[in-house]
Amino acid sequence: ICFVTQLSRGRVGGAYYDPTICKLYVLDDSQESSHYDLTRMLTEQAEAAVILVSSKADDGCMDVLRSQADASDSVFRIRPHKDFIPAKGRARILSLRLLTTLPSDDIISAAISAGSSDSEPRNAYDFMRRRRDVTGDPTVQQWNAAIRLANYASIDGSPLCLGSVGALLDYLAKLRAMSDLEDNGIGGLEIRSIEYISLKDIMQINADALYSLQVFDHENHASIHSDKTKEGLSLFGILNNTNTSLGKALLREWFTRPSMSPVVISARHDAVECFMRSENLGTVDAMHIHLKGIKNVPRILSAMKSSKAKVSDWQGLVKFAFHSVMLREALSELSQASHVEIVKKLVNALEVASFKDIGSTVNETINWEESTQAARVCVRPHIDEDLDKMKHIYNGIDSVLSKVAETVSANVPLSYTPTLNVVYFPQLGFLICVPMQDEWQNNGVDVMDGWTFQFSSEAQVYFKSQEMHGEYYSKGLFTPGLTGVLDLDKHIGDIHSAIVDREIEITQELLERILQFETAIVTSCDICAELDCLLSFADASRAYDYRRPELSEDNVTVIKQGRHPLQELVVDTFVPNDALLVGFECPEELIHALEQESDLDESMQNCRSSVMICTGPNACGKSVYLKQIALIHYMAQVRLIFVPAQSATLGIVDKIFTRIQTRESVSKAQSAFMIDLNQVSLALRNSTSRSLVLLDEFGKGTVATDGAGLFCGVIQHLLERGNICPKVIAATHFHDVFKEGMLDPGELPITFIHMQAMITSDDGKLLGMSGTEEYLQEDRTPEESDADPDARLPPGQRITYLYRVGKGLGLNSHAAVCAELFGIPRAVVRRAQYVRQEIWLSQLLRNHELGTLLDEEMTEDEKIELQVAEEVCRRFLACDLEGKRDGVDAKSLLAQVLERDGAADDEGELEYM
């Protein structure tokens, strides 16, 4: 087994190949923790003999992989980064024979063989055509591969994964060429399937599902010149109340990798429940305040070790020490928290005495005011005696310069310069500054005896004199009463650099003392980040009235009064609904007990199936209902969060697949319908009995009959899996499939529900309800239901959506009414209803079911008119149109059929006929 991975900027992607079953496993780009937990998990799970990594991967990632390789006796190799380029990886994976070669068809192959000729090719075009018949058209193969790749794994948006796959395939191709002495390239590799890496105890949810469920929503910056994004209306956005950068990063990591471990989920639920207690609200608020003061200390320590720390970083370290001590005191005030795991971990991790010592030592060493002014770390007085002396000299330089200038000016004639100054430059030392003379600009600078020219500007000229680099009698200039011989440049010229160097030495000594507690500090920060996420979830659960779900080892979904966490925030009133999904392997006793305990709505009674199909009018809330069930499952397994429901009993879900939204792009080779097929194909290939599959209007985008056939085929295929059938929730408008021989409501183990709609008159009188018991009658066909007067809503009637789940089928879409409600002109709607009626009549004629019209109520005049028309038709059909009748023309014949006297010469009568 060969495993390849690369990590960049906190995200990791990888792939490995199992030669025993010839299967390629891929992991799309995922958020990685600071301790490389996901990388460790992947290497342990793959049990690879060879581990490859990019040369530009993070150093920490390389260390982890190297240690994992040493522990498992694997070969660890660093490959050039050029092998990990995403574009090359995509090209290599599209070269696999698995993707380029379509499944063989005996009929097509026979037709090609019959059409081929044994004669020699007559020209170059004939030669190329025959070559394509044998090897295939490369362009077509590439197009097929680009489309079929999404059937196995959607990794086009995962550059790290694509790069890893490319490096893996390149390595395998070279290895095969060395062993078999054949170089067929990547196309010669034996790969029978491509699958996602199923992480242990981690729910699999791909980018399409996260996008469809609106877990994340990145909004671009308003300026086209900025690539920054912000979080829009999303599940992550409303639940993210974290106060630390580490907490936010950890929260995003949990959202991308929900847990499947009941022990982990239950432990975190206990913590959220504890923080939601009314007696702990004051303590929780105090903990929020202290968490705000905890910065990203691991990053600060890393900057300090690389000598890149700023003054604000040292301040952040002191704040961490203070707020961690205060946080430890706040934890002791929590009520009924002795059993909460996060509290135990934090109490053990926060070394109060050590952190107090760190904070006080740093605060007593660093002069914050001076450091802010100097933009570097400065040391307080009385820390180092030599440093204090140097600072005393440096601070008295102004008086020194004045006295030196007086001494120098005594020996300078006024004709040379009327004024002069003595200045000090760090690194350059003491200089005599003289104004630039006009004649010097033309004839050159005149240098006095004993002076040395240094440099000049447009207005000043700078010199060195004997006093600067020679012997100079101090005369007590620096310290009162101290006299002696002194070299200004030697003793004072580098004093600023000496001060900075000494402060760096003191700071480094301080850092070495702090790094002794690095492990304890980093561990405390990680646990504080976890606490930050817990408190954030507790706040959200309290604000949005979320309840704790009950986790079950059985494959069931029982939701009482469930809500959509985002939809309820943007509407005035949200109607909650129940849900019941049961896996095929669940015992009957458990199902009955769950129904009794949960007190489900009447619409969910005796609905014991793992497949649920929802029907109903347009815009009635079907999609919201599908998404809220998936989101409740997802939220329950994000380890910490409660769910928007009155109560919920949930079995663990291992994977979530969706066919809800289609993300189209001109950069993709697929059409919208093909993208939908990719999503469904991915679900069919990878779903298990513990998976959850959402199908919203699958089959749209093509001919209605083909779309309905695909939808029906997918549902029946899943049902035929038996005990390994996943839990499926589908919404559809293909009403023709609910008949005998297809998705028969009376035969298949499917739960049929609909979203209720109420039909009323203008004065508010109730005229009917969609989806009532009449829709369950076996003698009522979908065609008859579509012909209901309620479906057309005559003038004076209106439809009201109840957004409530009802039992049975709702076979009226009310599309015309929905169109008129949302802005389509009334004339267009009326025309659409007319065309729909004509199409329905043509279907009755084509199926020889014109007698169905007799079931409608008609007036006496309409019945007489229909009888007369029938007699005219019978006489016309009895006419011998092929026989020759002398003296009888067509007009006379029609007149006889219509029982009129004489030929109809008038054009008006012909128009009538």
Side-chain angles (χ1 to χ4, degrees), residues 100 131 526 565 853:
T100 58
R131 183 179 179 183
D526 291 339
L853 292 175

Side-chain angles (χ1 to χ4, degrees), residues 735 738 771-772 774-777 779-792 809-814 836 840 852:
H735 301 155
F738 303 121
T772 51
E774 60 194 28
Y775 289 88
L776 301 177
Q777 296 176 7
D779 59 346
R780 187 175 182 83
T781 65
E783 291 85 355
E784 294 172 337
S785 298
D786 284 340
D788 274 351
D790 291 343
R792 297 187 295 272
L809 294 171
L811 301 178
N812 292 332
S813 65
H814 298 292
R836 176 182 180 276
W840 178 68
T852 304

Side-chain angles (χ1 to χ4, degrees), residues 36-54:
Y36 306 100
D37 295 328
L38 183 57
T39 303
R40 296 175 191 272
M41 185 186 304
L42 287 174
T43 53
E44 292 174 357
Q45 185 171 331
E47 298 180 352
V50 180
I51 299 176
L52 307 180
V53 66
S54 169

Side-chain angles (χ1 to χ4, degrees), residues 715-748:
I715 297 298
Q716 289 184 335
H717 167 75
L718 293 172
L719 289 172
E720 289 172 358
R721 292 187 178 183
N723 291 338
I724 59 173
C725 175
K727 289 182 284 190
V728 182
I729 313 174
T732 184
H733 282 290
F734 293 133
H735 301 155
D736 294 340
V737 301
F738 303 121
K739 59 176 63 175
E740 187 177 355
M742 287 190 279
L743 301 181
D744 190 351
E747 298 294 334
L748 296 177

Side-chain angles (χ1 to χ4, degrees), residues 664-722:
E664 300 180 64
S665 173
V666 293
S667 62
K668 294 184 178 181
Q670 302 101 316
S671 65
F673 182 62
M674 288 182 179
I675 295 174
D676 293 351
L677 293 176
N678 289 148
Q679 294 176 350
V680 175
S681 176
L682 186 66
L684 294 179
R685 294 176 187 274
N686 296 278
S687 60
T688 67
S689 60
R690 285 281 183 173
S691 301
L692 180 62
V693 180
L694 306 183
L695 302 176
D696 189 10
E697 302 293 344
F698 171 61
K700 65 180 181 180
T702 185
V703 180
T705 53
D706 293 344
L710 284 170
F711 172 75
C712 185
V714 168
I715 297 298
Q716 289 184 335
H717 167 75
L718 293 172
L719 289 172
E720 289 172 358
R721 292 187 178 183

